[in-house]
Amino acid sequence: MTEQDKSFAPNAGLEHAIELLRHPPSKQDELPGSFSVDGIGELETLNLLAPHVLGSATYLDSPNAFAHMDPPTPWITWAITLWNSRLNQNLLHPATAPFAIEAERKVIEWLAPFFGMSGGHMCSGSTVANLTALWAARDTRKIEKIVASKAAHISIEKAARILGLPYEQIATNSEGQIDPDRIGDISKACLVLTAGTTATGVIDSLKLIGQARWSHVDAAWAGPLRLSPSHAILLDGIEKADSIAVSTHKWFFQPKDSALIMFRELEMANSAISFGGGYLAAPNIGVQGSRGASAIPLLATMIAWGKKGISDRIDHAMSMASLLAAKLSQENRISLWTTPITGITVFRPLTLNTDELYQRLPEGMFSTCILDDEKWLRSVAANPLADIHEIVSTILKAL
Ligand SMILES: *Cc1c(COP(=O)(O)O)cnc(C)c1O
């Protein structure tokens, strides 16, 4: 390698990469079978990989996409993510990331008040956010066990295992919420409530907040509803929690990896999860070490769309889920699990088996889940660009 190594400087290849993004080629050449000694160069690599990466991809903004918690990403986030990759800022080292740190401070400062929290930080996802919260709970308030419903996300059980704490799973009531009557003594426990369970989008009763030694709300999916004037009420009471996790790569339309962990008493929580000294100019807070500048695309989305732009898109997704459920409930060949609470609609056909209907529907339209030993189709309203009328008519035709 010489001093003029061209591989580190932008050139026409960058425009070509964007051109391929706009017009993904579909004809695929085979990838090399092994890690060869000599590379084929950047341009050839772009041309080789584009049909594999872009040409055969599932596009989350397709009118059919209504299956998963993964949203389409607004183009401003692609542009900023490209800037982020070029700079490779590390939140661990303030000197390399002065603006990224300011951006993170700003998004937390703008978002935490919606949840009644005093602050927090970003991390790669709610799996890590939940672990961070439970770690703070263990080391500040000496919780002795973690209690959550059977419908809680697996990340809670992972965190219990990592932290070496007993994990108690409580049965759900007929609405799919943690059954308050089955919660035993939680005076020395951390109670985890879910706002938007992964399978069915149910919100546990947030009135239970405050009864345990630490209350954590896993709002990975439904947290962003707090920004919507018409839906914020669904999360009333969340502001009394000790900690809240929200995946910004779900209903905040961010590229992965992007999530928030927020605390009501920030300084107390941070005192338990901060490490300093050595080569670090500022303390390292949280589970991750090096961390990218995911705050910048989030800040960009918040500035570009405003509160209304974000909440209008979520409201529109919610109304599509309601419409889907209303149409399905009129159809006697379909059983609807329940009316969707946070944009997740779960149903199954009564005249054929669920797998058969699933096979007949376009890929990416729905996902599946198992509830009470039955297989159900599941739809998640993460895509504001879905064509709900087309989706409804596709199901009805496939029955
Ligand atoms: C998605 C999800 C998680 C995990 O979040 P990641 O960002 O995927 O790590 C945790 N809890 C709930 C309720 C979720 O829906």
Side-chain angles (χ1 to χ4, degrees):
M1 291 292 140
T2 65
E3 274 170 55
Q4 298 91 25
D5 184 346
K6 297 277 195 300
S7 292
F8 289 89
N11 58 32
L14 206 53
E15 275 88 64
H16 185 55
I18 288 169
E19 190 50 32
L20 291 166
L21 193 64
R22 286 183 193 280
H23 307 287
S26 56
K27 196 188 150 300
Q28 296 186 350
D29 291 323
E30 231 177 285
L31 298 182
S34 64
F35 185 13
S36 64
V37 174
D38 294 312
I40 63 173
E42 286 85 358
L43 272 181
E44 277 309 302
T45 302
L46 286 177
N47 290 331
L48 174 67
L49 290 181
H52 292 272
V53 178
L54 300 167
S56 60
T58 304
Y59 282 87
L60 296 166
D61 54 350
S62 111
N64 270 341
F66 221 50
H68 298 285
M69 290 181 165
D70 307 272
T73 46
W75 72 261
I76 184 137
T77 66
W78 318 348
I80 305 262
T81 302
L82 185 66
W83 293 357
N84 273 351
S85 306
R86 192 267 179 261
L87 297 172
N88 207 14
Q89 301 185 72
N90 191 346
L91 277 275
L92 191 56
H93 301 305
T96 74
F99 184 72
I101 285 169
E102 187 185 333
E104 180 168 298
R105 208 173 32 74
K106 249 189 165 34
V107 299
I108 299 275
E109 187 184 306
W110 291 357
L111 291 175
F114 283 97
F115 301 90
M117 298 290 110
S118 65
H121 64 271
M122 293 192 72
C123 55
S124 68
S126 286
T127 298
V128 171
N130 287 334
L131 173 63
T132 312
L134 298 172
W135 173 24
R138 188 194 66 178
D139 289 358
T140 57
R141 299 236 182 99
K142 311 293 172 216
I143 55 154
E144 291 173 7
K145 65 177 175 181
I146 295 169
V147 176
S149 100
K150 289 215 154 94
H153 190 263
I154 47 168
S155 54
I156 307 301
E157 186 169 2
K158 284 186 198 170
R161 198 125 25 117
I162 294 168
L163 295 168
L165 290 167
Y167 182 47
E168 210 171 287
Q169 277 185 297
I170 309 290
T172 49
N173 64 15
S174 59
E175 266 115 78
Q177 302 169 301
I178 191 167
D179 187 344
D181 298 334
R182 294 184 195 231
I183 302 175
D185 178 11
I186 49 172
S187 57
K188 292 178 183 163
C190 171
L191 178 65
V192 177
L193 300 170
T194 310
T197 55
T198 314
T200 61
V202 166
I203 302 175
D204 285 330
S205 169
L206 300 179
K207 292 203 179 86
L208 296 167
I209 292 174
Q211 300 187 4
R213 191 172 276 185
W214 184 289
S215 303
H216 172 65
V217 180
D218 176 1
W221 166 247
L225 287 173
R226 203 65 181 151
L227 273 69
S228 154
S230 39
H231 294 112
I233 191 170
L234 288 169
L235 300 183
D236 274 1
I238 199 169
E239 67 284 352
K240 299 199 176 72
D242 294 293
S243 53
I244 301 174
V246 178
S247 287
T248 32
H249 65 75
K250 291 179 175 173
W251 242 349
F252 271 111
F253 307 100
Q254 294 307 296
K256 292 172 192 67
D257 307 287
S258 181
L260 304 165
I261 175 61
M262 295 175 286
F263 295 100
R264 192 154 47 89
E265 293 179 48
L266 181 68
E267 279 174 28
M268 176 195 60
N270 278 354
S271 70
I273 58 169
S274 298
F275 287 75
Y279 60 92
L280 292 172
N284 175 203
I285 300 172
V287 174
Q288 288 173 260
S290 294
R291 212 150 54 75
S294 55
I296 305 181
L298 178 56
L299 179 67
T301 310
M302 291 167 69
I303 292 175
W305 287 2
K307 280 181 219 173
K308 187 168 183 308
I310 293 173
S311 71
D312 279 356
R313 286 166 174 94
I314 296 173
D315 287 349
H316 176 56
M318 287 284 278
S319 72
M320 287 194 285
S322 298
L323 185 87
L324 173 64
K327 296 283 183 196
L328 295 177
S329 67
Q330 287 162 11
E331 174 54 61
N332 55 19
R333 291 169 294 174
I334 295 252
S335 165
L336 192 65
W337 169 261
T338 176
T339 31
I341 295 158
T342 61
I344 300 179
T345 314
V346 176
F347 63 97
R348 68 187 172 87
L350 296 172
T351 48
L352 70 171
N353 80 39
T354 302
D355 280 327
E356 214 173 313
L357 178 58
Y358 183 71
Q359 298 297 330
R360 289 184 196 173
L361 294 167
E363 211 170 54
M365 187 175 273
F366 299 111
S367 49
T368 59
C369 64
I370 301 205
L371 295 167
D372 296 340
D373 298 327
E374 295 269 12
K375 197 162 206 182
W376 297 73
L377 290 178
R378 165 178 173 267
S379 135
V380 182
N383 173 19
L385 302 169
D387 181 344
I388 197 62
H389 298 287
E390 185 58 31
I391 289 173
V392 168
S393 85
T394 307
I395 308 171
L396 297 183
K397 272 187 234 149
L399 278 176

